[in-house]
């Protein structure tokens, strides 16, 4: 199954980005990401055997207990690649938790499943972003847009992507709440531990 870890967007942020997508919708060469699929990828895993699921779910919960909730910001747009002919138009994201989550997932997957499990992600540096549209044919760049969007990131997810003729279908397999120190204290508290029967 094709898997990735991601953060999905609240409705008010998504609504603004969908409005921004109107800048490229007039050009046939750009294909916008459907509103319900707008997300920020933390780690792309590609095709993984089903027996990896248990480890990947456990890793997500463990990391969620280490990283506290944080505020994300969207300031503007950019292109991949930045020079020459762009393939992707995206919104740049910032937030102090993105780096620890992406790095923690990468290290955790390497430890649990080996270096080969990171082949799909490659050695690209992590740049938090939300893909707004992909370029499928010749089409112009649109001028940069400026956002002033913020939202609290309190959960991330493990997602299954099924490639279909009309586009990928995403299914959230598990959600991982961010709890940071609060979650760790709960775990360490004797009163919070389940009793043996």
């Amino acid at each position: 199954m094709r898997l990735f870890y991601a953060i999905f967007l609240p409705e008010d942020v998504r609504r603004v980005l969908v409005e921004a997508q109107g800048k490229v919708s007039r050009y046939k060469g750009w294909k916008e990401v459907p509103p319900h699929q707008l997300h920020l990828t933390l780690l792309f895993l590609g095709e993984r055997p089903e027996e990896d699921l248990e480890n990947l779910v456990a890793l997500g919960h463990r990391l969620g207990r280490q990283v506290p909730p944080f505020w994300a910001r969207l300031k503007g747009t950019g292109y991949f690649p930045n020079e020459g002919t762009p393939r992707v138009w995206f919104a740049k994201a910032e937030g102090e938790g993105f780096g620890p989550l992406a790095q923690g997932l990468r290290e955790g997957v390497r430890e649990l499943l080996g270096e080969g499990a990171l082949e799909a992600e490659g050695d690209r540096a992590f740049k938090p972003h939300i893909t707004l549209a992909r370029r499928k044919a010749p089409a112009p760049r649109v001028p940069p847009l400026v956002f002033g969007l913020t939202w609290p990131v309190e959960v991330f997810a493990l997602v299954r992507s099924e490639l279909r003729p009309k586009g990928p279908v995403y299914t959230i397999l598990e959600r991982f709440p961010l709890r940071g120190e609060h979650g760790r204290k709960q775990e360490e508290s004797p009163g919070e531990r389940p009793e043996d029967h």
Side-chain angles (χ1 to χ4, degrees):
M1 59 181 65
R2 198 165 181 259
L3 301 172
F4 63 96
Y5 290 101
I7 292 169
F8 285 87
L9 310 175
E11 180 58 34
D12 55 337
V13 173
R14 199 164 50 197
R15 197 165 39 242
V16 174
L17 295 183
V18 169
E19 189 176 321
Q21 287 176 314
K23 298 288 184 184
V24 296
S25 63
R26 73 187 80 167
Y27 305 113
K28 291 183 178 177
W30 286 106
K31 183 176 182 183
E32 306 100 286
V33 174
H36 66 282
Q37 291 185 350
L38 289 169
H39 68 276
L40 187 149
T41 299
L42 293 167
L43 181 68
F44 180 68
L45 296 163
E47 289 291 337
R48 300 304 311 166
E50 194 163 340
E51 54 262 33
D52 285 356
L53 263 184
E54 186 177 347
N55 277 329
L56 295 171
V57 168
L59 171 62
H61 283 297
R62 189 166 68 244
L63 198 58
R65 290 191 290 269
Q66 296 170 3
V67 178
F70 62 95
W71 283 89
R73 298 175 294 281
L74 294 181
K75 290 187 172 178
T77 55
Y79 291 96
F80 292 136
N82 190 38
E83 303 294 333
T85 303
R87 293 189 305 274
V88 170
W89 183 50
F90 63 89
K92 303 173 191 173
E94 295 177 2
E96 63 183 18
F98 289 135
L101 281 175
Q103 185 65 26
L105 289 169
R106 196 177 181 92
E107 290 173 359
V109 167
R110 180 184 292 117
E111 182 183 324
L112 290 168
L113 305 176
E115 188 73 29
L118 295 171
E119 282 181 4
E121 179 72 9
D123 56 2
R124 292 169 294 186
F126 174 67
K127 294 181 180 177
H129 70 278
I130 296 160
T131 296
L132 299 174
R134 293 182 174 85
R135 191 171 180 270
K136 301 295 184 183
R141 289 176 179 241
V142 297
L145 298 180
V146 176
F147 303 114
L149 297 170
T150 61
W151 80 95
V153 177
E154 298 173 326
V155 65
F156 68 104
L158 179 63
V159 186
R160 178 178 186 173
S161 171
E162 296 174 80
L163 298 178
R164 305 266 180 88
K166 291 186 176 180
V169 174
Y170 296 161
T171 303
I172 293 179
L173 301 178
E174 188 84 6
R175 296 178 200 272
F176 311 108
L178 300 180
R179 292 187 286 177
E181 289 295 327
H182 178 68
R184 208 159 26 234
K185 285 176 184 171
Q186 279 185 332
E187 283 193 342
E188 291 168 358
S189 168
E192 296 296 328
R193 292 180 178 162
E195 295 179 10
D196 294 330
H197 293 285

